[in-house]
Structure formats: structure tokens, C-alpha cells
Amino acid sequence: MAGPAALALDTSLGELNLTFWVPTAVLTAALAIKLPSIVKMWRDPLLRAVGGLLLFACAVFVFAAPGTIAWTNRVTGVPNISSPWVYSLLTTLCASWLLLIIAWRNGLTDRTDRTRRATRWVVAVYAGVIVALWVLFAFADAPVERLRDLDTYYANTPFMREEILLYLTAHTVASTVTARLVWNWIRTDGLDAWLRWGLRLLGIGFTTNLFFAVFKLTAIIARWTGHDLDWLSTDLAPLAAGVAATLVAIGFIVPHAGQYLQERWRVRLRHRRLRPLYLLMRTAAGGREPFTLRATAELRLIRRETFIRDGLLHLSRHLDENLRLRSYEAAVALDFERGRAQALAAAVTILDAAAGPQRSSAEAPEATSEERSPEPDTTYLLREIQAVSEALRRPDDIKAVRARAAAPAESVSAHD
């Protein structure tokens, strides 16, 4: 039966695991969202860098969890073998940050040689750091397993001390460079709003990463001077790393998810705005658009647009081009701007044709060949169905245009 101390330790480790598994879940979600694009466009260096960053970030949090540290030490039979392994993963993650920055900044420019040199330099330096971490661990004497406080417990131990300082230095340099460049890019003109928000979150995330190293180094220096600030390393540093990783993951998710949701909203909005013209076409031409329960929003929009255009072609032989021209002039006279005037004129003409060609023909006197309306031009109608449908939402405007367009004819009739 476990004693109180063991129970307290289990409880604290269970609480701490949230610091590791929550960021892991968010990072995994970000990787899952990005994975189809990464696989599809694998040759894109930027997407490869993003994929590598998210993959190594997940690995860091998985293997840095206390439970995984204990498992790794037990399987290998080497106390604290997890330290160089986790430090190596973290160092690789730091290198992936810098490689992402290089790909982001130079990947689509003509500075190919510069990009390759920078990439080779980062890979060489951080690979050297990883080799040095393992060499230092091999020379160190660290027989007591530490799941949470290894950095401070061995802060004064030869070779372990150098190993810890080396990985923190590599982490600090990468965080500083990455955060600075991301914040510079946020101020770039012409960025998509969703991309700008994503960059802001990345900037905050990479800046927060610096607190991880600050807390660790402060606790280590306190050990050197005979003080005990281990809680900075064991409690606050993992929390800072978890918050930073979560922000970085969300920073990658926001542009993708935001643009996707915005496009879905635009499609649904266009579908809804076509409803007035769609209902008019149902009344005039009969029938309705095909409906499938599982149809995508894009397919429903295409079907509605097709139904409307087919209905307009059905009505086209009844459209009065003279009425459209008079209605356009009337709308302009009523101070509607040109695009709005065209839409209102088209709406008046369509409503007239939909009212019934037989009634219109019976009420109108027979026209001579010179007075007959010219063949209607359906190009505008078929192209601008959104604008025409929006015009149908304003019956008062249509009524005013129709009255103004009819006024000259009525005046002439009265004069005769």
C-alpha cells in the first residue's frame, strides 16, 4: 500500500501531466490539420518545416512527461538517460524553428544559395549541440533518477552542468531569433487578416518560450549561490513551455481554420442571398433546385445558381429590353449608383416578365416593327445574379424605379 508521500507524489505528477498532455493534444490537432497539405505538397520547404516543427514539438512533450521519463529510464536500464534524449529532441525542435524561419523568409525568393547556406549552418550547429549533449552525459556521474528536478538537482555536477547549460543556450538563441523575426513580419503590409492573427499567436508563443529558459537559468543560478528556487524550474518552466507550445500550435491552426470557415460562410451567405431570385424563378419557371441531404455547401450553391440561370433563360424571350433601359435611366435619375441601377433595372424587367407574358401582351397595344423591343441581352442577368437577387430584397426601391420608368409614357398618353 502506498504511503502518504507516494500518494502526494502521484497526485503532483498527475497534475503536472496536464502541462504536458494538453499542449501535445493541441499540437497533434495542428499536425493533423496540416498533414494533408504537407503530404500533397511535400516538395514545399515551408510545409516540410511546419510539419517537422509540429512533429518534434509533440515528441518533446511526450518524452518530457514524468511518466515517459520513468519508462525510458526503466526500459534502457540507465538512470536519467532521458535527459540527453529529451534535450536532443528539444534542440532538434529549436533547429526546426530556425529552419521554418529560413524557409518562410527565403523559400520563395531567388536567394537559393543563401537559403541553402543558412539551412546547412543551422543543421550543422544544432547537430553538433546534440552530439555534445550525449558526450557530456557519457562523462557525467548522475546515478540518482530525477523525474522533475534533474536540472536543479545536478546543477553543480560536472558535465551535467555543462549539458544543461548547453541545451538552454541553444533554446534561448533559437527562441530569441524566431520571436524577433516573427514580430517583424507581423508589421508587413498586405498580409491576410487570418495570417496576421496566426503570426501574432506565433510571436507570443515564441516569446513565451524565452520564459522557459529564464526560469530554468534563474533556478540553476540560485543553486550555484546556495539558494533554493527549484520551483521556478519544476513548476513554472514546464507551464511556460506548455503555454508557448499551445500558442504556437494555435498560431498554425488559425490561418488554416479561419480561412476555411470564412470561405464556408461566404458560400452559405451567397446561397442565402440568392433566395429571392430563386423563389421568383420557382414561381415563373416552375420546379425547384435538386436537394440532397448530404450535399456540400458548394454543391448546393452551384445547384441554386444553375436553377436560377436556367429559369432566366426560360424567361429571356419575354424580357422587355425597352423597359430595362427605361428602368435603368429611372434608377440613375433617382441617384442610385451605376451597379445598383443596373441590378434594379434587371429586377424590374424580370418581375414584369414573370408576371405573365400573356397579360402584358393583352394590355399593351400592338407595336410596329420600329417600336418593338430589341432582343434582350441576358449577359448581365446570367453573370450578376447575386446583385439582381439583392435588388429584389428592396421592393420599395423597385417600386420607385418602376413608377419613374412608367411616368414618361403615362405623360405622353395623357397629353394625347
Side-chain angles (χ1 to χ4, degrees):
M1 182 175 180
L7 290 175
L9 178 60
D10 290 341
T11 301
S12 64
L13 291 181
E15 293 174 353
L16 184 67
N17 281 345
L18 293 176
T19 304
F20 294 91
W21 298 120
V22 170
T24 302
V26 180
L27 288 164
T28 303
L31 182 59
I33 290 173
K34 287 287 186 181
L35 191 59
S37 299
I38 294 171
V39 173
K40 185 178 181 180
M41 296 180 286
W42 177 249
R43 293 183 179 274
D44 187 331
L46 178 58
L47 285 175
R48 288 204 306 269
V50 171
L53 186 154
L54 293 173
L55 182 62
F56 283 114
C58 288
V60 166
F61 280 94
V62 169
F63 284 97
T68 312
I69 290 175
W71 176 85
T72 305
N73 293 338
R74 184 174 63 255
V75 168
T76 60
V78 180
N80 298 313
I81 190 68
S82 280
S83 63
W85 173 241
V86 172
Y87 296 161
S88 297
L89 288 174
L90 183 57
T91 302
T92 305
L93 175 61
C94 293
S96 72
W97 298 342
L98 296 175
L99 292 175
L100 172 65
I101 296 301
I102 293 170
W104 208 335
R105 188 173 187 177
N106 302 332
L108 300 179
T109 70
D110 57 357
R111 294 177 290 181
T112 305
D113 292 338
R114 180 179 176 181
T115 301
R116 289 175 179 171
R117 285 196 302 270
T119 300
R120 286 195 295 266
W121 185 86
V122 169
V123 171
V125 169
Y126 277 80
V129 170
I130 292 172
V131 171
L133 290 171
W134 285 95
V135 171
L136 289 168
F137 180 77
F139 283 104
D141 182 19
V144 180
E145 183 183 59
R146 310 301 301 181
L147 300 181
R148 298 183 57 196
D149 62 346
L150 183 141
D151 290 347
T152 50
Y153 186 86
Y154 288 107
N156 290 308
T157 302
F159 299 111
M160 283 298 292
R161 174 182 58 228
E162 287 74 16
E163 178 187 358
I164 294 165
L165 290 176
L166 181 59
Y167 96 83
L168 287 175
T169 300
H171 178 277
T172 302
V173 171
S175 297
T176 303
V177 172
T178 307
R180 180 181 176 183
L181 291 176
V182 169
W183 283 115
N184 286 340
W185 291 338
I186 291 173
R187 294 188 288 271
T188 302
D189 294 332
L191 292 179
D192 174 81
W194 290 109
L195 178 58
R196 194 180 297 277
W197 273 108
L199 284 172
R200 286 194 183 103
L201 290 169
L202 288 176
I204 296 171
F206 286 122
T207 302
T208 306
N209 258 321
L210 288 169
F211 288 100
F212 170 82
V214 169
F215 292 144
K216 288 280 186 181
L217 287 170
T218 302
I220 290 169
I221 293 172
R223 278 278 184 153
W224 292 348
T225 58
H227 298 85
D228 184 356
L229 294 178
D230 288 9
W231 58 274
L232 290 175
S233 176
T234 57
D235 297 330
L236 287 189
L239 180 61
V243 171
T246 302
L247 289 171
V248 168
I250 296 175
F252 284 117
I253 292 173
V254 162
H256 187 281
Q259 291 167 3
Y260 174 83
L261 293 175
Q262 185 176 26
E263 184 59 30
R264 298 287 78 71
W265 170 251
R266 286 175 178 171
V267 169
R268 293 181 184 278
L269 188 61
R270 288 178 61 189
H271 184 271
R272 184 174 64 84
R273 286 177 173 173
L274 285 174
R275 181 173 175 78
L277 187 54
Y278 163 67
L279 294 177
L280 181 59
M281 290 302 99
R282 281 186 58 181
T283 302
R288 60 184 301 160
E289 63 180 290
F291 176 77
T292 304
L293 186 62
R294 296 184 178 181
T296 63
E298 291 85 354
L299 181 58
R300 289 198 295 271
L301 175 62
I302 291 172
R303 287 175 173 174
R304 175 160 289 188
E305 290 175 338
T306 302
F307 178 84
I308 289 172
R309 290 190 172 101
D310 288 345
L312 289 173
L313 288 174
H314 176 76
L315 279 182
S316 62
R317 64 182 181 272
H318 303 302
L319 297 175
D320 187 339
E321 184 67 9
N322 284 331
L323 174 61
R324 188 189 68 81
L325 293 174
R326 292 199 312 272
S327 298
Y328 174 73
E329 293 172 356
V332 171
L334 290 171
D335 294 329
F336 289 104
E337 55 91 16
R338 183 176 178 275
R340 181 69 173 164
Q342 284 183 305
L344 286 168
V348 169
T349 309
I350 294 171
L351 286 169
D352 178 76
Q358 296 82 6
R359 182 171 63 88
S360 299
S361 300
E363 293 177 355
E366 185 176 351
T368 65
S369 59
E370 292 81 2
E371 293 173 335
R372 286 196 182 97
S373 176
E375 287 296 320
D377 182 7
T378 59
T379 303
Y380 173 83
L381 286 177
L382 298 177
R383 187 182 67 244
E384 301 295 338
I385 56 177
Q386 284 281 340
V388 175
S389 187
E390 283 293 304
L392 289 171
R393 291 178 177 273
R394 303 290 185 271
D396 290 342
D397 292 346
I398 292 175
K399 183 178 180 180
V401 170
R402 177 179 281 165
R404 180 83 177 220
E410 292 173 0
S411 299
V412 171
S413 299
H415 180 72
D416 292 341

